Amino acid sequence: MKKVYIETLGCQMNKSDAERMFGMLEHIGYTQTEIPKEADMLIINTCSIRQLSEDKAYSAIGVWGKWKKKKPNLKIVFAGCVAQQAGKDLFKRAPYVDLVLGTQRLYELPNLVKRIEEGERIVSTEEKPYEENEIQINRVKSINAWIPIMEGCNNFCSYCIVPYTRGRERSRKPELIIAEAKKALSEGFKEITLLGQNVDSYGKDLPEGHNLSWLLRQLNAIEGKFRIRFVTNYPPDITDELIDT
């Protein structure tokens, strides 16, 4: 099997995305390594909330680009929020990068990897989300399991870049969330943390009644002893129903 190394910067959502990446890549013949120089493919999962994180991402791929001179078949993937911002301009700054993967195209990764293995260089940063399929998730072993329930934000606060990097609010299908929670609990996790840039908006694009309060009640009905957490909240969207729940 080929080896892949993923360096993740930023928030819990990025960590969750990395777990999904590992699961998808395992299906197409990759195994995880913690030693970057051993890898056949290097992925940096970037964050653009702070300039320091963005600078760190460019610094990392600069080093990887030097490695590629000695190892021409090495594949380099630039993913996450900085990738979504930079798009095709990244190829000008880092011509050794093989794939620029935007935040809304995560589930396209297996198909894109097969193409870059054949010599293509690809930018996939479309704002139309790539449809999620049932995938294996290689979770980091701990007490807590990260479970995304929605992505994006509609608030456009003056200081925040999230709506431009993660897009508008999109709720994940509840059946996928519940199935993922049950699987994580069956694997021994004792806590699930629901993730979203604005979890209080969950369900606004789903049938009436399917909101965060409803979802919490569905998860609470699962058999077993476990904790439920959720982040991040946007105060104006907190309802009396959510407080009661």
Side-chain angles (χ1 to χ4, degrees):
M1 294 181 76
K2 294 180 180 179
K3 294 182 179 180
V4 59
Y5 170 81
I6 301 180
E7 183 166 337
T8 298
L9 307 173
C11 66
Q12 297 96 330
M13 185 70 84
N14 274 15
K15 293 174 184 176
S16 175
D17 286 348
E19 292 177 338
R20 283 163 162 70
M21 286 182 188
F22 279 128
M24 288 185 280
L25 290 170
E26 194 169 83
H27 280 290
I28 58 171
Y30 282 84
T31 186
Q32 182 178 351
T33 179
E34 298 296 332
I35 304 172
K37 282 197 171 182
E38 286 186 353
D40 300 284
M41 182 164 62
L42 297 165
I43 300 177
I44 185 126
N45 196 12
T46 63
C47 172
S48 59
I49 287 292
R50 295 180 178 86
Q51 186 65 43
L52 182 63
S53 293
E54 189 169 333
D55 292 343
K56 189 175 180 180
Y58 283 118
S59 176
I61 63 166
V63 172
W64 296 353
K66 292 177 183 177
W67 295 354
K68 192 166 183 174
K69 291 178 181 178
K70 298 179 181 179
K71 192 177 179 181
N73 290 329
L74 177 67
K75 300 302 179 186
I76 299 176
V77 178
F78 197 90
C81 292
V82 181
Q84 185 69 37
Q85 276 183 277
K88 62 183 179 181
D89 289 341
L90 190 72
F91 282 162
K92 298 175 185 176
R93 179 167 183 168
Y96 40 80
V97 168
D98 298 281
L99 170 61
V100 181
L101 181 68
T103 56
Q104 299 175 53
R105 310 298 293 179
L106 177 68
Y107 297 103
E108 191 182 11
L109 181 62
N111 294 336
L112 296 175
V113 167
K114 290 176 183 176
R115 289 170 58 189
I116 65 172
E117 286 177 339
E118 293 172 357
E120 285 190 65
R121 297 179 71 226
I122 303 168
V123 174
S124 183
T125 55
E126 295 175 48
E127 292 188 8
K128 181 181 179 182
Y130 193 85
E131 190 67 29
E132 175 182 355
N133 296 313
E134 187 176 339
I135 59 165
Q136 176 181 327
I137 302 167
N138 290 10
R139 295 190 186 279
V140 175
K141 297 301 179 186
S142 68
I143 292 173
N144 179 66
W146 307 109
I147 300 181
I149 66 168
M150 59 87 64
E151 190 169 357
C153 186
N154 292 348
N155 291 300
F156 290 91
C157 298
S158 60
Y159 57 84
C160 185
I161 201 168
V162 165
Y164 303 96
T165 58
R166 289 282 178 174
R168 296 299 182 96
E169 291 169 353
R170 306 177 305 283
S171 300
R172 198 171 168 217
K173 294 177 182 177
E175 60 268 24
L176 294 175
I177 298 168
I178 294 166
E180 188 175 328
K182 288 180 177 178
K183 189 171 188 299
L185 295 170
S186 72
E187 292 171 351
F189 289 89
K190 301 299 181 184
E191 179 174 292
I192 58 174
T193 301
L194 309 180
L195 296 178
Q197 279 76 41
N198 180 11
V199 289
D200 302 314
S201 288
Y202 178 78
K204 286 184 176 180
D205 51 347
L206 296 176
E208 188 174 353
H210 287 63
N211 55 20
L212 180 59
S213 303
W214 174 86
L215 180 62
L216 290 172
R217 292 195 296 271
Q218 300 303 307
L219 294 170
N220 189 57
I222 298 173
E223 290 294 325
K225 293 183 178 180
F226 59 95
R227 292 186 292 270
I228 303 173
R229 301 178 186 271
F230 50 91
V231 292
T232 298
N233 302 87
Y234 188 72
D237 292 331
I238 296 174
T239 63
D240 289 339
E241 181 190 10
L242 178 59
I243 294 169
D244 292 340
T245 301

PDB file of all heavy atoms in Angstrom, residues 141-160:
ATOM      1  N   LYS A 141      -8.096   7.644  18.153  1.00  0.00           N
ATOM      2  CA  LYS A 141      -8.586   6.944  19.330  1.00  0.00           C
ATOM      3  C   LYS A 141      -8.542   7.853  20.557  1.00  0.00           C
ATOM      4  O   LYS A 141      -7.486   8.317  20.975  1.00  0.00           O
ATOM      5  CB  LYS A 141      -7.757   5.677  19.588  1.00  0.00           C
ATOM      6  CG  LYS A 141      -7.857   4.649  18.471  1.00  0.00           C
ATOM      7  CD  LYS A 141      -9.307   4.205  18.244  1.00  0.00           C
ATOM      8  CE  LYS A 141      -9.434   3.205  17.119  1.00  0.00           C
ATOM      9  NZ  LYS A 141     -10.839   2.884  16.793  1.00  0.00           N
ATOM     10  N   SER A 142      -9.698   8.113  21.119  1.00  0.00           N
ATOM     11  CA  SER A 142      -9.811   8.939  22.325  1.00  0.00           C
ATOM     12  C   SER A 142     -11.200   8.704  22.907  1.00  0.00           C
ATOM     13  O   SER A 142     -11.892   7.761  22.524  1.00  0.00           O
ATOM     14  CB  SER A 142      -9.612  10.419  21.986  1.00  0.00           C
ATOM     15  OG  SER A 142     -10.692  10.893  21.192  1.00  0.00           O
ATOM     16  N   ILE A 143     -11.603   9.543  23.821  1.00  0.00           N
ATOM     17  CA  ILE A 143     -12.956   9.431  24.403  1.00  0.00           C
ATOM     18  C   ILE A 143     -13.981  10.051  23.463  1.00  0.00           C
ATOM     19  O   ILE A 143     -15.102   9.567  23.351  1.00  0.00           O
ATOM     20  CB  ILE A 143     -12.994  10.131  25.777  1.00  0.00           C
ATOM     21  CG1 ILE A 143     -12.142   9.361  26.792  1.00  0.00           C
ATOM     22  CG2 ILE A 143     -14.419  10.267  26.285  1.00  0.00           C
ATOM     23  CD1 ILE A 143     -11.989  10.055  28.122  1.00  0.00           C
ATOM     24  N   ASN A 144     -13.580  11.111  22.780  1.00  0.00           N
ATOM     25  CA  ASN A 144     -14.517  11.928  22.009  1.00  0.00           C
ATOM     26  C   ASN A 144     -14.480  11.641  20.506  1.00  0.00           C
ATOM     27  O   ASN A 144     -13.420  11.440  19.930  1.00  0.00           O
ATOM     28  CB  ASN A 144     -14.201  13.408  22.231  1.00  0.00           C
ATOM     29  CG  ASN A 144     -15.111  14.312  21.447  1.00  0.00           C
ATOM     30  OD1 ASN A 144     -16.302  14.368  21.702  1.00  0.00           O
ATOM     31  ND2 ASN A 144     -14.552  15.016  20.473  1.00  0.00           N
ATOM     32  N   ALA A 145     -15.668  11.637  19.885  1.00  0.00           N
ATOM     33  CA  ALA A 145     -15.794  11.504  18.431  1.00  0.00           C
ATOM     34  C   ALA A 145     -16.393  12.794  17.873  1.00  0.00           C
ATOM     35  O   ALA A 145     -17.458  13.236  18.310  1.00  0.00           O
ATOM     36  CB  ALA A 145     -16.685  10.320  18.076  1.00  0.00           C
ATOM     37  N   TRP A 146     -15.688  13.401  16.887  1.00  0.00           N
ATOM     38  CA  TRP A 146     -16.202  14.604  16.223  1.00  0.00           C
ATOM     39  C   TRP A 146     -17.201  14.189  15.154  1.00  0.00           C
ATOM     40  O   TRP A 146     -16.903  13.341  14.320  1.00  0.00           O
ATOM     41  CB  TRP A 146     -15.062  15.377  15.548  1.00  0.00           C
ATOM     42  CG  TRP A 146     -13.899  15.716  16.425  1.00  0.00           C
ATOM     43  CD1 TRP A 146     -12.651  15.161  16.378  1.00  0.00           C
ATOM     44  CD2 TRP A 146     -13.853  16.703  17.446  1.00  0.00           C
ATOM     45  NE1 TRP A 146     -11.841  15.748  17.321  1.00  0.00           N
ATOM     46  CE2 TRP A 146     -12.546  16.701  17.989  1.00  0.00           C
ATOM     47  CE3 TRP A 146     -14.799  17.600  17.969  1.00  0.00           C
ATOM     48  CZ2 TRP A 146     -12.156  17.544  19.025  1.00  0.00           C
ATOM     49  CZ3 TRP A 146     -14.405  18.443  18.996  1.00  0.00           C
ATOM     50  CH2 TRP A 146     -13.111  18.415  19.508  1.00  0.00           C
ATOM     51  N   ILE A 147     -18.387  14.807  15.143  1.00  0.00           N
ATOM     52  CA  ILE A 147     -19.406  14.489  14.136  1.00  0.00           C
ATOM     53  C   ILE A 147     -19.964  15.787  13.543  1.00  0.00           C
ATOM     54  O   ILE A 147     -20.705  16.519  14.210  1.00  0.00           O
ATOM     55  CB  ILE A 147     -20.555  13.650  14.746  1.00  0.00           C
ATOM     56  CG1 ILE A 147     -20.000  12.334  15.304  1.00  0.00           C
ATOM     57  CG2 ILE A 147     -21.644  13.389  13.704  1.00  0.00           C
ATOM     58  CD1 ILE A 147     -21.048  11.427  15.914  1.00  0.00           C
ATOM     59  N   PRO A 148     -19.608  16.103  12.298  1.00  0.00           N
ATOM     60  CA  PRO A 148     -20.153  17.318  11.667  1.00  0.00           C
ATOM     61  C   PRO A 148     -21.657  17.181  11.445  1.00  0.00           C
ATOM     62  O   PRO A 148     -22.137  16.123  11.038  1.00  0.00           O
ATOM     63  CB  PRO A 148     -19.421  17.369  10.324  1.00  0.00           C
ATOM     64  CG  PRO A 148     -18.254  16.460  10.460  1.00  0.00           C
ATOM     65  CD  PRO A 148     -18.662  15.395  11.424  1.00  0.00           C
ATOM     66  N   ILE A 149     -22.398  18.252  11.736  1.00  0.00           N
ATOM     67  CA  ILE A 149     -23.843  18.240  11.467  1.00  0.00           C
ATOM     68  C   ILE A 149     -24.236  19.312  10.455  1.00  0.00           C
ATOM     69  O   ILE A 149     -25.289  19.222   9.840  1.00  0.00           O
ATOM     70  CB  ILE A 149     -24.677  18.406  12.758  1.00  0.00           C
ATOM     71  CG1 ILE A 149     -24.469  19.794  13.395  1.00  0.00           C
ATOM     72  CG2 ILE A 149     -24.354  17.291  13.752  1.00  0.00           C
ATOM     73  CD1 ILE A 149     -25.476  20.126  14.484  1.00  0.00           C
ATOM     74  N   MET A 150     -23.405  20.327  10.296  1.00  0.00           N
ATOM     75  CA  MET A 150     -23.681  21.358   9.296  1.00  0.00           C
ATOM     76  C   MET A 150     -22.383  22.077   8.986  1.00  0.00           C
ATOM     77  O   MET A 150     -21.395  21.933   9.707  1.00  0.00           O
ATOM     78  CB  MET A 150     -24.753  22.340   9.777  1.00  0.00           C
ATOM     79  CG  MET A 150     -24.434  23.093  11.052  1.00  0.00           C
ATOM     80  SD  MET A 150     -23.508  24.616  10.774  1.00  0.00           S
ATOM     81  CE  MET A 150     -24.666  25.578   9.835  1.00  0.00           C
ATOM     82  N   GLU A 151     -22.404  22.827   7.904  1.00  0.00           N
ATOM     83  CA  GLU A 151     -21.203  23.547   7.496  1.00  0.00           C
ATOM     84  C   GLU A 151     -21.601  24.886   6.909  1.00  0.00           C
ATOM     85  O   GLU A 151     -22.677  25.038   6.337  1.00  0.00           O
ATOM     86  CB  GLU A 151     -20.414  22.728   6.471  1.00  0.00           C
ATOM     87  CG  GLU A 151     -19.042  23.293   6.172  1.00  0.00           C
ATOM     88  CD  GLU A 151     -18.180  22.339   5.354  1.00  0.00           C
ATOM     89  OE1 GLU A 151     -18.631  21.215   5.067  1.00  0.00           O
ATOM     90  OE2 GLU A 151     -17.061  22.727   4.992  1.00  0.00           O
ATOM     91  N   GLY A 152     -20.715  25.869   7.073  1.00  0.00           N
ATOM     92  CA  GLY A 152     -20.961  27.182   6.500  1.00  0.00           C
ATOM     93  C   GLY A 152     -21.649  28.130   7.471  1.00  0.00           C
ATOM     94  O   GLY A 152     -22.042  27.757   8.568  1.00  0.00           O
ATOM     95  N   CYS A 153     -21.795  29.368   7.033  1.00  0.00           N
ATOM     96  CA  CYS A 153     -22.417  30.393   7.861  1.00  0.00           C
ATOM     97  C   CYS A 153     -23.014  31.472   6.959  1.00  0.00           C
ATOM     98  O   CYS A 153     -22.435  31.816   5.923  1.00  0.00           O
ATOM     99  CB  CYS A 153     -21.384  31.002   8.805  1.00  0.00           C
ATOM    100  SG  CYS A 153     -22.090  32.171   9.988  1.00  0.00           S
ATOM    101  N   ASN A 154     -24.159  32.008   7.385  1.00  0.00           N
ATOM    102  CA  ASN A 154     -24.844  33.045   6.605  1.00  0.00           C
ATOM    103  C   ASN A 154     -24.721  34.439   7.217  1.00  0.00           C
ATOM    104  O   ASN A 154     -25.331  35.380   6.734  1.00  0.00           O
ATOM    105  CB  ASN A 154     -26.341  32.722   6.484  1.00  0.00           C
ATOM    106  CG  ASN A 154     -26.608  31.502   5.638  1.00  0.00           C
ATOM    107  OD1 ASN A 154     -25.724  31.006   4.946  1.00  0.00           O
ATOM    108  ND2 ASN A 154     -27.829  30.990   5.696  1.00  0.00           N
ATOM    109  N   ASN A 155     -23.935  34.583   8.285  1.00  0.00           N
ATOM    110  CA  ASN A 155     -23.991  35.827   9.055  1.00  0.00           C
ATOM    111  C   ASN A 155     -23.055  36.925   8.563  1.00  0.00           C
ATOM    112  O   ASN A 155     -23.306  38.099   8.804  1.00  0.00           O
ATOM    113  CB  ASN A 155     -23.725  35.524  10.530  1.00  0.00           C
ATOM    114  CG  ASN A 155     -24.870  34.738  11.138  1.00  0.00           C
ATOM    115  OD1 ASN A 155     -26.016  35.201  11.160  1.00  0.00           O
ATOM    116  ND2 ASN A 155     -24.593  33.540  11.615  1.00  0.00           N
ATOM    117  N   PHE A 156     -21.949  36.574   7.899  1.00  0.00           N
ATOM    118  CA  PHE A 156     -21.032  37.560   7.321  1.00  0.00           C
ATOM    119  C   PHE A 156     -20.618  38.655   8.308  1.00  0.00           C
ATOM    120  O   PHE A 156     -20.726  39.843   8.029  1.00  0.00           O
ATOM    121  CB  PHE A 156     -21.657  38.192   6.071  1.00  0.00           C
ATOM    122  CG  PHE A 156     -21.744  37.236   4.914  1.00  0.00           C
ATOM    123  CD1 PHE A 156     -22.885  36.455   4.726  1.00  0.00           C
ATOM    124  CD2 PHE A 156     -20.692  37.096   4.019  1.00  0.00           C
ATOM    125  CE1 PHE A 156     -22.964  35.550   3.673  1.00  0.00           C
ATOM    126  CE2 PHE A 156     -20.768  36.198   2.963  1.00  0.00           C
ATOM    127  CZ  PHE A 156     -21.903  35.425   2.791  1.00  0.00           C
ATOM    128  N   CYS A 157     -20.165  38.241   9.488  1.00  0.00           N
ATOM    129  CA  CYS A 157     -19.609  39.199  10.445  1.00  0.00           C
ATOM    130  C   CYS A 157     -18.377  39.867   9.816  1.00  0.00           C
ATOM    131  O   CYS A 157     -17.626  39.239   9.079  1.00  0.00           O
ATOM    132  CB  CYS A 157     -19.209  38.486  11.740  1.00  0.00           C
ATOM    133  SG  CYS A 157     -20.605  37.698  12.583  1.00  0.00           S
ATOM    134  N   SER A 158     -18.178  41.135  10.119  1.00  0.00           N
ATOM    135  CA  SER A 158     -17.151  41.914   9.419  1.00  0.00           C
ATOM    136  C   SER A 158     -15.739  41.372   9.613  1.00  0.00           C
ATOM    137  O   SER A 158     -14.876  41.554   8.764  1.00  0.00           O
ATOM    138  CB  SER A 158     -17.205  43.376   9.870  1.00  0.00           C
ATOM    139  OG  SER A 158     -16.980  43.454  11.275  1.00  0.00           O
ATOM    140  N   TYR A 159     -15.481  40.688  10.740  1.00  0.00           N
ATOM    141  CA  TYR A 159     -14.124  40.226  11.049  1.00  0.00           C
ATOM    142  C   TYR A 159     -13.875  38.783  10.618  1.00  0.00           C
ATOM    143  O   TYR A 159     -12.770  38.269  10.808  1.00  0.00           O
ATOM    144  CB  TYR A 159     -13.888  40.311  12.573  1.00  0.00           C
ATOM    145  CG  TYR A 159     -14.898  39.518  13.367  1.00  0.00           C
ATOM    146  CD1 TYR A 159     -14.728  38.147  13.572  1.00  0.00           C
ATOM    147  CD2 TYR A 159     -16.048  40.123  13.871  1.00  0.00           C
ATOM    148  CE1 TYR A 159     -15.672  37.409  14.260  1.00  0.00           C
ATOM    149  CE2 TYR A 159     -16.990  39.387  14.559  1.00  0.00           C
ATOM    150  CZ  TYR A 159     -16.790  38.033  14.758  1.00  0.00           C
ATOM    151  OH  TYR A 159     -17.736  37.297  15.434  1.00  0.00           O
ATOM    152  N   CYS A 160     -14.871  38.110  10.059  1.00  0.00           N
ATOM    153  CA  CYS A 160     -14.795  36.653   9.901  1.00  0.00           C
ATOM    154  C   CYS A 160     -14.811  36.234   8.429  1.00  0.00           C
ATOM    155  O   CYS A 160     -15.631  36.702   7.633  1.00  0.00           O
ATOM    156  CB  CYS A 160     -15.956  35.986  10.641  1.00  0.00           C
ATOM    157  SG  CYS A 160     -15.878  34.189  10.625  1.00  0.00           S
TER     158      CYS A 160
END
